[in-house]
Amino acid sequence: MAAAETDRDAPSALCSEFLNFSAKDTAAKWLLASNLPKEVYQHLACYVPKIYCLGPNLNPQNEDLLAQLLLQSPLEWYLCGEEPSVGLTKLEQNNQPSQLCGHVFKVGEPTYSCRECAADPTCVLCMQCFLGSVHKEHRYRMTTSGGGGFCDCGDTEAWKKGPYCQKHEPNINDSSQKDPLANLSDEMIARTYNVFSIILKYAVDMLTWDKEDELPEGLEPPVRGDTYYCMLFNDEVHTYEQVIYTLQKAVNCTQKEAVSFATTVDRDGRKSVRFGDFQFCEQAKSVIVRNTSRQTKPLRVQVMHSSVVAHQCFALKALTWLGQIIRYSDALRRILCQVGLQRGPEGENSSLVDTLMLCDSKMWKGARNVYHQLFMSSLLMDPKYKKLFAIQFAKNYERLQSDYVKDDHDREFSVTDLSVQMFTVPSLARMLITEENLMTTIIRTFMDHLRHRDLQGRFQFERYTAQQAFKFRRVQSLIGDLKYVLISRPTEWADQLREKYLEGFDAFLELLKCMQGMDPVVRQVGQHIEMEPEWEAAFTLQMKLTHIISMMQEWCASDERVLIEAYKKCLSALTHCHSGFTDGEQPITLSMCGHSVDTIRYCVSQEKVSIHLPVSRLLAGLHALLSKIEVAYRFPEQLPLSELSPPMLIEHPLRCLVLCAQVHAGMWRRNGFSLVNQIYYYHNVKCRVEMFDKDLIMLQAGASMMDPNHFLMIMLSRFELYHIFSSADCRKRYSRENANKDVVQQNNTLIEEMLHLVIMIVGERYTAGVGQVEISDEIRREIIHQLCIRPMAHSELVKALPENENKETGMERVIDNVALFKKPGVTGRGLYKLRPECAKMFNLYFHHYSRADQSKAEEAQRKIKRQNGEDSVLPPPVLPRFCPLFASLVNILQCDVLLGILGAVLQWAIEPSGGHWSESMLQRVLHLIGMGLVEEQQHLIGSAEENDTNFNFTFKISRPGEAPANTPSILALLETLQNAPHLEVHKDMIRWILKTVANIKTTRECTASAPPSDSSGHSQEETVRDKDKAERKRKAEMARLRREKIMAQMSEMQRHFINENKELFQQSLEELDPSTSSTLEHSPSSCDSSLVCVGPRRWRAGGSERRQVVTCILCQEEQEIRTDGKAMVLAAFVQRSTVMSKNRKRPPHNPDKYDPLFMHPDLSFGTHTGSCGHIMHSHCWQRYFEAVQAKEQRRQQRLRVHTSYDVENGEFLCPLCECLSNTVIPLLPLTKTSCSSEQPDLSQWLNITSQQSKALLSAHRKTKAAGAEGVDEMDGVNDCPPPDGFKLDYTPKNPYSSTIKEMLTTFGTATYKVGLKVHPNEQDPRVPIMCWGSCAYTIQSIERLLVDEEKPLFGSLPCRQDDCLSSLTRFGSACWTASSHTTVQNHFLRLIAALVPDPRVENTPCILDIDMFHLLVSLVLSHPAVFCMDSSGLSADTAQLHFLHLVTVAHIVQILLTSVPEEVQMEQESGGAEREEEEKVCMLYNTLRMHLGSGLREVSSGWHLWRCVKTGILPYLRAAALFFHYLNGAPAPPELHTLGLGEWEALCGYLCLPSNLLQLYYSNQELMQSLLHGWCSHPSVLQGLQSSVALIRFPRESNHLIELPSDYSALINQASSFTCPKSGGDKSRAPTLCLVCGAMLCSQSYCCQTELEGEDVGACTAHTFACGAGVGIFLRVRESQVLFLAGKTKGCFYAPPYLDDYGETDQGLRRGNPLHLCQERYRKIQKLWRQHSITEEIGHAQEANQTLVGIDWQHL
Ligand SMILES: [Zn+2]
Ligand SMILES: [Zn+2]
Ligand SMILES: [Zn+2]
Ligand SMILES: [Zn+2]
Ligand SMILES: [Zn+2]
Ligand SMILES: [Zn+2]
Ligand SMILES: [Zn+2]
């Protein structure tokens, strides 16, 4: 890189120039200049290339500093006319800022919108403003910003209420009307104007400059070197990986550099990847272009002269500077706006602002961002210029959109994205509609981009390729703009607005006309379609337009004149669409039941039919609106209804519904899935409002204007059922229609669908305008029907309801009327349950039910009725009345054709034969009859005030049929059916109908004449019969309930079968093993009556109590646990743990060299063993594991997918409960011991032990020396004779069977391998140490857990943990047999030396650096290796007790050394009871001070010291009690089975310790004093006490997960200000919080990947290894999701502990309801962590959801 060298001296040259430079003088010179622009340009031409872009590696800080001094400063001097800091401060002081907040959002920052007060959802507040506003008490929505956009606080148009927060509340003397320029002097205005116009023009020129090697006039550099940049530009086509790969090839850089280049290109839009002479750069360019042009268009690369790049850099800087300067004063801002919008020499649309906008798509991302920001802080903040800018924006609209559609950058990087800032302001939108005809412009532009039409001019979408989808998405953004414009409806209409709106409406109709009838389908017969036709594009368009169509209608509804005009326009558009709606089809005449009608011949199953009918549907919507207005009630003749042709109106919607029916009937199977999908969306909640619902309204509208008989005949004909019902003997369908079964089946379904449609046409009245209802009635009814299916969560309900353009369902207003809310527990979510009184509104044929919904709802409702002891009949509900325009629809129920149809179906039901009939058909017929009766009842009630009583359904159904004479009446048929045995299920409905008919008859008679006397008698008789029936029913009901309850219990049992099983197996173990039994009935049988777990006096199990029999879960055989028997094993999971760590900063150990013998008291990492408690034979397990291995190998070859467990690492799932395991623990019996008579006291015993030690030590050295060929170093130890009965050459017999031996090795090696993260090596001397450590660590962690859960020490552990601890401890006591005895003896010698200082043992840590419980456990468990050589009659129990005493004293000393200073005034006078302890502890402390002098501070309070000892040592005593309990099997005293007082005494008693622990010291004072001296004289003690590193103090508090804020948005805010630690101040895309230590990480991103064990891993995975020994718990802040990670391959997502008011989590933050911390759920997560169950939880999650297995967790 030669070029870099030549530039080295440039800065120094600049330095001298810089020293001579004076900004003040330059400004003064400019003040006098005649041609200021030229002067300034000269200045820039001279300096810019000297400051910017001097080499390959830019130095932005240096550049910015120089630019400030040499370029900006003179401008500021000129502008202010004085020292800039003074001048600008003055400006700021004089400024009266506007009330707009205008805070521009960063990516990921929380934004708030009030669902009650915001004009639309795009109106948002920043967190600061929100917290100071009234809206925080309202229903609000919280989202995270995608970047861009600003806070709308202070914008009165954005908020219906509370537009200002406290901070932006306007002053009383409102200054907003005043011209901000009034405060400025004319000279100042002129100077500002000059500077702004020159600089803005300069910036615009440079940013829009497209020459690579030249500069604009006046900017050519004085000297020009051959220095170029190879500039790489961003595109959205190439992937990160492609770019990285190409760069590595092209510019020969490392992967790391390439990643950094790619990241910058993605962020800033461009990045120079090479600097040098032209040739050098050109070469790189050609490689890049060549490498990326294969499949797509190549990456954009330019070779640019360094001076061009320099000026562009400064141009960006200059824009930023302008943005900063105008912040000082609204007046400056206004001047900048003026400069920007001033028309240029080229006339219209030539201002600088126009130029920028029109070049937008040509600029790179970084440049666009900077100038968009400037627009936002200037033009959009100034009320006057916002309007002018909006006009320019509208004028350029078409061009901007076209550019955007061609461009490939995301919309957020396009200037078109600013539309939301203007179009959503109601006053601006209105102005733009009337003055710039914006509505029409948008729609026309949109249409221009959808060019593909068929012959009829309808849209025709080709194959919907990815690229087309991409383009189509861009076009759709125009629909978004249209939505913004329409989002607030006018309250007042001016004539001009009417005119322009209707013009826009016309344009919109043109658009809809292109959609009417698009994507027609033809039924495929014979063969399947070959290719699924394209349908998605059309549906996407429909879906996007749904809200627009609704909004168009709402606008119309707000003005009667507009409504009527629009109606006329829409009608004529429809007429135009179907001008020849007969399409040449032949006219025919239909006749039935004495009626006839003319129509055409048309079969949906044979001709073209389309689902897209937006024009018809818009008309239907307008029709319903028209029906609502007063004119419709009073003078319907004034409405433009005369031109309507009802048959034309219904034709296409009817065809569409028939199509659905035929698809249901299976007639369109060969048309493939595209049609099924279309039908699905047609009914789906996202589309149905402007599709299915409107078709239904159109049918209602058409039918209401027709003779019902005619309507029904046309309908039958379109359903292709006319031939069945029109024939004279239709009641004998079965004898006539003998066609094949499929056709009969098809026709049955069609009849069902047709009847359902009739039910809907007559019964769906909950649309305002159709029925006399309000909008809230409509929503209420929707909710009721959803809740009739089952209780639902808030979000489920929201999903089931249509949302309006503001994403509101209107649910909150009515929900409490119809439902009761039930709060969630620790899992699950809150549920809404239907209020019982609302069930009467239930309509089985609710039009929005799918078939599945319908049957679920039916079942649920019947069940509820039965449970309440009611008749389970579900009659049709009482309906609201129709509006006048629709009133005649009720006549359908009593018209001859319908009655004919009903009669026919009933007749078929009576004589069922050969499937010519279905139950659903009958059910629908009965429902229709029921509807007729309910309608009649309503008419009777209302008849007093209305004179409309000619609805006499009962009369019609009592009448015998006419056509073929003497057919029975419907009523007669029903009476016959009542007794038909095959219709059991419909009996109650038939009974209900007959009863209602009787009631109506009675009412009619009553009202007709005086109340007849016999009616009461009749009814009395009836009530007696009813009562009788009711009683029988009640009894039957009771029996049924009992049955149901039993059934429920059984299924519950089945569900918990596995769990139950687990318990069973555990019980079998527990019953037989006294040591794990928690009951105390059969307590001690030997030695002493008091319960002691350690020492010669300890409790001993009798022979029968020792016997332990278990069952293998694999072969189900029973097996006794014996030393010489078959090995039984427990599935276990060993993992590294930092859960109890008090020092997460400790660097990881080198696994090969680390010596784990002494655990540091900070417990910085340990090895935890857990188990699910399931027992197997070792050979059964081995066979199982081999099978798993083999299966896994086959699977990997075949599928190449991972499993939730890693077989190669020894992992498997427990065969019974599928719990993740990685090894097995062998089960061992209790060791046999006996009480021998005389045992030595502590000092005697210590004497013997030290003799033994010495003998061993010298023996070991001898062998070693012999091995090392006589390097004789035996100083003084050369001959230590062993004490009596101690045989150095004795090798004891290994008591264990071969399988047990094998399992001892297996578990030991596994613990070693996992705990140290090394390769398995059973010979390694550290194997036994790791086993003892795991035993100690696991007991300690369980002791903590019991404290945290506030549970007693004994009796509260689940069986599985009990079993695990017991086998782990017994394994611990046996594992020495699997290792070399010398090794274990050596360990023992080193351990004991820590307590009894021995100069011959090296590297012994001081007592401050030892965790005493670990020491105790290791001593006890390693001692057998020494003890086994002794035959002198010493007891192992004695040794255990002496170890306990020694370690306890050491721990007391440790606690005293690290005790915290007493807090003043905390001392309480204790009674005499503890006096002695207090005095003794003081004495001991003073002894310590004697040894350590100034290392210990003075303490006078014995009370305080004793309290320190007591609380500090408690966890140790508790852990020791657990340890000896499991080791020796002694039952614990009852006091330890409960919480509360007496624990101390009970513990001391159980552990055979004096309750005044200091007696341990004073009863052996002589010996202890020498030990004490030894401990204190270890040099590390004094060092430790004096060092600045915090000492570990006792008791160690339990770790807990970090505190989380109660309000989730606080977290979002915290995360939004978090920047990636690696890529200089960039926002992190996936900020993730470690819940263990509180670190915020930049997850799931290239920038923060690091290498771990040779693999690239994401920040989270890397962090887990440092913070959690491989296990991590995180909160993904943007997603509101908890993430569990274990190792590199395992992970799962977990529900976050944040809930909204409806008791639901919001994973992904999609709903935006405010979220608050649920402590219970957070504690649950914490408990999982403390229990070491995270890995297990992941395993279960992955087993349940296989897709989790495929995720690359390591990259998170
Ligand atoms: Zn704000
Ligand atoms: Zn504010
Ligand atoms: Zn509000
Ligand atoms: Zn077995
Ligand atoms: Zn299990
Ligand atoms: Zn952490
Ligand atoms: Zn990062």
Side-chain angles (χ1 to χ4, degrees), residues 1632-1693:
T1632 301
L1633 185 67
C1634 172
L1635 292 179
V1636 175
C1637 70
M1640 187 74 87
L1641 306 166
C1642 170
S1643 168
Q1644 214 178 350
S1645 171
Y1646 268 108
C1647 49
C1648 286
Q1649 282 197 355
T1650 45
E1651 208 179 282
L1652 184 75
E1653 292 160 2
E1655 271 182 284
D1656 278 339
V1657 298
C1660 284
T1661 306
H1663 183 77
T1664 57
F1665 278 76
C1667 167
V1671 175
I1673 306 171
F1674 300 95
L1675 183 68
R1676 286 160 65 85
V1677 181
R1678 297 267 162 82
E1679 271 77 29
S1680 178
Q1681 208 171 31
V1682 167
L1683 167 70
F1684 289 163
L1685 286 181
K1688 286 191 233 166
T1689 53
K1690 294 198 192 82
C1692 73
F1693 297 113

Side-chain angles (χ1 to χ4, degrees), residues 95-144:
N95 189 33
Q96 281 168 323
S98 76
Q99 271 68 48
L100 284 176
C101 168
H103 169 83
V104 177
F105 293 115
K106 292 175 289 200
V107 177
E109 201 177 331
T111 65
Y112 299 83
S113 183
C114 181
R115 297 172 67 188
E116 290 163 22
C117 316
D120 66 79
T122 67
C123 300
V124 288
L125 293 177
C126 65
M127 189 171 182
Q128 282 244 311
C129 289
F130 173 73
L131 292 176
S133 75
V134 293
H135 311 294
K136 70 170 189 286
E137 311 295 335
H138 300 172
R139 257 176 350 104
Y140 63 90
R141 195 194 293 274
M142 172 195 72
T143 36
T144 51

Side-chain angles (χ1 to χ4, degrees), residues 844-909:
L844 182 54
Y845 293 97
F846 176 61
H847 64 317
H848 289 153
Y849 275 159
S850 66
R851 287 204 158 194
D853 289 342
Q854 191 190 18
S855 68
K856 277 186 227 155
E858 180 178 0
E859 201 177 313
Q861 291 309 303
R862 282 196 203 279
K863 195 171 155 197
I864 289 172
K865 286 205 161 194
R866 278 199 305 269
Q867 279 168 356
N868 296 340
E870 292 168 29
D871 206 339
S872 71
V873 66
L874 297 168
V878 175
L879 296 171
R881 277 195 301 170
F882 277 121
C883 290
L885 281 190
F886 290 87
S888 65
L889 280 176
V890 294
N891 291 321
I892 291 179
L893 288 171
Q894 55 170 353
C895 77
D896 299 328
V897 173
L898 186 71
L899 293 171
I901 296 171
L902 299 183
V905 174
L906 290 175
Q907 185 72 48
W908 300 340

Side-chain angles (χ1 to χ4, degrees), residues 1111-1117 1128 1176-1181:
T1111 311
C1112 168
I1113 57 165
L1114 287 169
C1115 68
Q1116 305 295 327
E1117 266 170 36
M1128 294 300 283
M1176 298 162 270
H1177 283 108
S1178 66
H1179 62 266
C1180 289
W1181 169 70

Side-chain angles (χ1 to χ4, degrees), residues 493-792:
W493 286 76
D495 278 343
Q496 214 190 354
L497 181 61
R498 282 198 186 94
E499 185 196 324
K500 292 295 174 183
Y501 174 76
L502 285 169
E503 206 179 316
F505 190 82
D506 266 332
F508 191 62
L509 280 174
E510 285 305 311
L511 169 64
L512 296 190
K513 268 156 83 179
C514 297
M515 294 167 66
Q516 180 91 351
M518 66 182 169
D519 277 1
V521 285
V522 180
R523 180 165 162 248
Q524 193 79 12
V525 279
Q527 278 185 325
H528 252 84
I529 44 158
E530 276 165 29
M531 209 164 53
E532 293 280 348
E534 169 49 44
W535 64 277
E536 283 173 66
F539 254 89
T540 311
L541 184 59
Q542 169 68 36
M543 245 187 260
K544 292 275 164 188
L545 283 177
T546 296
H547 287 145
I548 305 282
I549 300 174
S550 302
M551 283 149 96
M552 284 284 189
Q553 293 170 35
E554 281 160 20
W555 275 60
C556 293
S558 67
D559 185 75
E560 208 173 288
R561 274 163 62 194
V562 173
L563 178 60
I564 292 176
E565 273 316 300
Y567 189 88
K568 285 182 187 159
K569 284 174 187 291
C570 190
L571 184 58
S572 86
L574 185 64
T575 319
H576 176 261
C577 283
H578 302 304
S579 48
F581 96 93
T582 51
D583 291 342
E585 286 124 347
Q586 291 170 359
I588 49 161
T589 306
L590 308 171
S591 49
M592 235 180 110
C593 307
H595 301 270
S596 62
V597 62
D598 292 330
T599 178
I600 46 160
R601 190 189 298 281
Y602 171 88
C603 282
V604 174
S605 66
Q606 287 165 23
E607 271 134 299
K608 274 187 182 175
V609 56
S610 166
I611 290 179
H612 297 284
L613 305 166
V615 181
S616 311
R617 289 166 190 156
L618 179 57
L619 188 68
L622 295 174
H623 190 86
L625 291 173
L626 214 53
S627 146
K628 252 166 59 175
I629 61 177
E630 215 186 330
V631 187
Y633 281 82
R634 294 168 179 265
F635 319 104
E637 62 281 359
Q638 289 181 7
L639 296 178
L641 301 176
S642 52
E643 301 140 56
L644 294 174
S645 148
M648 181 197 83
L649 293 186
I650 62 169
E651 185 64 31
H652 287 87
L654 183 56
R655 288 178 186 180
C656 190
L657 287 161
V658 169
L659 172 67
C660 297
Q662 291 186 347
V663 170
H664 271 303
M667 293 167 65
W668 288 68
R669 282 208 191 100
R670 294 190 163 80
N671 285 64
F673 284 111
S674 69
L675 183 62
V676 178
N677 286 329
Q678 293 191 58
I679 304 279
Y680 169 80
Y681 278 109
Y682 173 74
H683 289 104
N684 182 273
V685 65
K686 285 216 164 67
C687 301
R688 69 180 181 216
V689 177
E690 296 301 339
M691 295 191 94
F692 170 68
D693 289 3
K694 289 295 189 304
D695 281 346
L696 201 55
I697 293 176
M698 195 48 129
L699 286 188
Q700 290 177 313
S704 67
M705 290 183 269
M706 293 166 79
D707 178 326
N709 293 300
H710 295 174
F711 171 75
L712 287 173
M713 279 190 283
I714 294 178
M715 203 167 114
L716 280 176
S717 154
R718 295 296 172 265
F719 268 93
E720 297 166 40
L721 294 168
Y722 175 71
H723 62 285
I724 294 180
F725 289 98
S726 63
S727 78
D729 57 347
C730 79
R731 291 194 173 192
K732 299 216 181 318
R733 179 186 173 201
Y734 44 88
S735 61
R736 218 166 36 77
E737 195 190 32
N738 281 329
N740 77 43
K741 272 234 154 76
D742 285 350
V743 174
V744 172
Q745 195 57 47
Q746 252 170 32
N747 283 340
N748 280 350
T749 310
L750 289 177
I751 294 170
E752 288 164 24
E753 292 286 323
M754 184 269 301
L755 290 167
H756 191 179
L757 184 55
V758 178
I759 293 174
M760 293 191 287
I761 289 171
V762 182
E764 288 306 327
R765 305 175 187 182
Y766 279 89
T767 304
V770 176
Q772 300 183 17
V773 294
E774 303 287 323
I775 293 173
S776 56
D777 297 324
E778 198 177 334
I779 302 160
R780 192 175 301 136
R781 178 166 178 260
E782 291 283 343
I783 297 175
I784 289 173
H785 280 85
Q786 290 303 321
L787 295 182
C788 278
I789 303 174
R790 61 186 159 81
M792 286 186 186

Side-chain angles (χ1 to χ4, degrees), residues 1038-1147:
M1038 298 273 282
R1040 187 209 302 272
L1041 283 176
R1042 261 199 311 279
R1043 268 200 311 277
E1044 272 176 7
K1045 203 172 159 194
I1046 293 168
M1047 291 301 285
Q1049 275 169 354
M1050 277 176 62
S1051 72
E1052 184 77 356
M1053 272 163 69
Q1054 266 161 350
R1055 214 147 29 90
H1056 292 301
F1057 178 70
I1058 297 228
N1059 289 337
E1060 290 285 315
N1061 249 2
K1062 265 193 263 181
E1063 297 303 315
L1064 277 176
F1065 283 112
Q1066 263 146 7
Q1067 272 162 21
S1068 65
L1069 172 63
E1070 192 184 344
E1071 278 156 15
L1072 291 160
D1073 180 1
S1075 72
T1076 55
S1077 162
S1078 50
T1079 48
L1080 287 165
E1081 265 79 70
H1082 50 279
S1083 36
S1085 55
S1086 57
C1087 279
D1088 204 320
S1089 64
S1090 74
L1091 291 174
V1092 172
C1093 62
V1094 58
R1097 278 167 49 232
R1098 78 170 168 90
W1099 175 93
R1100 269 160 236 279
S1104 67
E1105 281 162 314
R1106 251 203 323 268
R1107 213 176 103 84
Q1108 188 187 347
V1109 178
V1110 294
T1111 311
C1112 168
I1113 57 165
L1114 287 169
C1115 68
Q1116 305 295 327
E1117 266 170 36
E1118 290 203 335
Q1119 179 76 46
E1120 190 186 345
I1121 308 280
R1122 290 156 60 100
T1123 337
D1124 52 356
K1126 282 188 197 166
M1128 294 300 283
V1129 294
L1130 203 56
F1133 186 71
V1134 179
Q1135 60 186 316
R1136 285 150 67 85
S1137 159
T1138 62
V1139 170
M1140 292 192 289
S1141 170
K1142 288 286 155 200
N1143 180 7
R1144 287 184 197 282
K1145 303 241 154 57
R1146 188 180 279 267

